[in-house]
Amino acid sequence: MLKAKLGIAPIAWWNDDLPELSDDVSLEECLTQASEAGFSGMETGRRFPMDMAVLGPILDRYRISVCGGWFSGELLDGDIEREKDRIAEQMAFFQAAGAPCIVYGETARSVQGKREVPLAQKPAISEAEMAAYGRKMSDFADWCAAQGMPISYHHHMAAVVETEPELDVFMKHSSVPLLFDAGHMAFAGGDNLRVIDNHHARISHVHTKDIRKKVVEKIDRTRNSFLDAVVMGVFTVPGDGDLNFSSIIAALEGVGYEGWFVVEAEQDPKLNSPREMASLGHRVLSELFSKSGYSVEI
């Protein structure tokens, strides 16, 4: 059977871009709830001490490992040597933590963190510019892999690689491992099953983010920003939204994907209990895995 691991992101408990969307819980309480829900991994967030001498004993207490974490890349407008310096500290920490990858999110020109800028004003570049960017990203990804810590590229709403066509062009002109995020691709109007079919050979990490279609339909992309959409409740966990994760998992199984499936759904913890959302996401994914060719590793 194919091997799957179940992780979760702390963004259900506290939001790094919108501090007001945060539950008043400690790291230990967050880890307790994630562990009780059944998760064996967690991506990092702003309340994580980036020192394994400090974090390691805490993670061991809850039988949880670091299964990834975000890096705000700026390679679109920057150069590789500068990015090497910027990622060095996180890379050393992730190596010490035995993490599978660093999640690379391109933030140069992105409007994902700007509440005042609508989605329609996301960056757009020509294919020639994407080709040049793809070459830089490939060289940077090769360097990271050679250091023993691969990156996984996160296509993301409001960023330069958001839509399915943009992802297709980026993948055409790069050799970078891909983080497939079901929620972001669906929000961008893409076809998740087609993305898996077209790019499965490069998928190295998976975010099982769900969406609420009724919220997506209410969003005015000429007025609402990405952060507005988050506040409106566009994202949720599998089982609470409208994506068909049975088909998504079957498609990933069909192409032989093995590795982490990370529940990552930023929403208001006061309206959506992180403990309940974590339990629901884990239960739904576990039920789907039990009917598939996946065995879940603890």
Side-chain angles (χ1 to χ4, degrees), residues 11 22 59 62 69 205 231 236 269:
I11 203 164
S22 296
L59 294 177
Y62 300 100
H205 205 58
V231 172
T236 187

Side-chain angles (χ1 to χ4, degrees), residues 71 73 75-76 80 87 101-106 130-145 149-155 160-161 166-180 195 198-205:
F71 170 72
L75 197 55
L76 179 64
I80 292 177
I87 204 171
C101 66
I102 291 176
V103 174
Y104 182 100
E106 185 60 63
M130 189 71 84
Y133 173 56
R135 287 192 293 272
K136 283 203 296 184
M137 277 302 318
S138 298
D139 290 344
F140 182 65
D142 289 346
W143 177 83
C144 290
M149 182 46 58
I151 61 171
S152 192
Y153 189 94
H154 193 333
H155 57 93
V160 68
V161 180
E166 287 170 339
L167 179 61
D168 289 342
V169 175
F170 175 72
M171 297 296 279
K172 173 184 174 183
H173 293 292
S174 74
S175 57
V176 182
L178 176 66
L179 185 156
F180 166 66
V195 169
N198 287 339
H199 304 301
H200 60 84
R202 304 257 292 279
I203 295 174
S204 63
H205 205 58

Side-chain angles (χ1 to χ4, degrees), residues 4 17 28 45 52 68 83 134 147 159 169 177 213 242 254 274 292:
D17 294 315
E28 287 77 3
M52 278 305 290
E83 289 303 281
Q147 308 311 302
V169 175
K213 288 185 179 179
D242 296 298
S292 72

Side-chain angles (χ1 to χ4, degrees), residues 12-82:
W13 287 268
W14 62 81
N15 192 302
D16 288 358
D17 294 315
L18 289 168
E20 64 268 29
L21 292 190
S22 296
D23 199 1
D24 187 22
V25 300
S26 65
L27 171 62
E28 287 77 3
E29 188 173 351
C30 168
L31 291 171
T32 295
Q33 294 179 14
S35 179
E36 289 174 349
F39 291 99
S40 61
M42 181 169 275
E43 293 193 352
T44 55
R46 61 184 165 89
R47 293 182 183 173
F48 277 68
M50 301 296 276
D51 180 349
M52 278 305 290
V54 178
L55 181 62
I58 299 173
L59 294 177
D60 290 344
R61 197 179 311 148
Y62 300 100
R63 300 182 301 281
I64 283 180
S65 64
V66 173
C67 65
W70 178 273
F71 170 72
S72 295
E74 299 176 354
L75 197 55
L76 179 64
D77 292 327
D79 63 72
I80 292 177
E81 293 307 314
R82 179 170 179 271

Side-chain angles (χ1 to χ4, degrees), residues 83-122:
E83 289 303 281
K84 288 179 182 178
D85 290 339
R86 292 185 65 246
I87 204 171
E89 184 177 1
Q90 185 172 346
M91 178 175 284
F93 166 69
F94 271 44
Q95 288 169 332
C101 66
I102 291 176
V103 174
Y104 182 100
E106 185 60 63
T107 58
R109 304 189 212 177
S110 172
V111 298
Q112 67 201 63
K114 298 178 179 180
R115 186 78 183 267
E116 73 281 4
V117 182
L119 282 162
Q121 293 183 25
K122 71 167 288 297

Side-chain angles (χ1 to χ4, degrees), residues 263-285:
V263 173
E264 192 230 23
E266 55 265 57
Q267 48 186 333
D268 190 337
K270 297 176 181 63
L271 300 177
N272 306 273
S273 163
R275 181 192 296 272
E276 293 176 7
M277 289 290 103
S279 295
L280 175 61
H282 189 279
R283 183 174 71 252
V284 168
L285 291 177

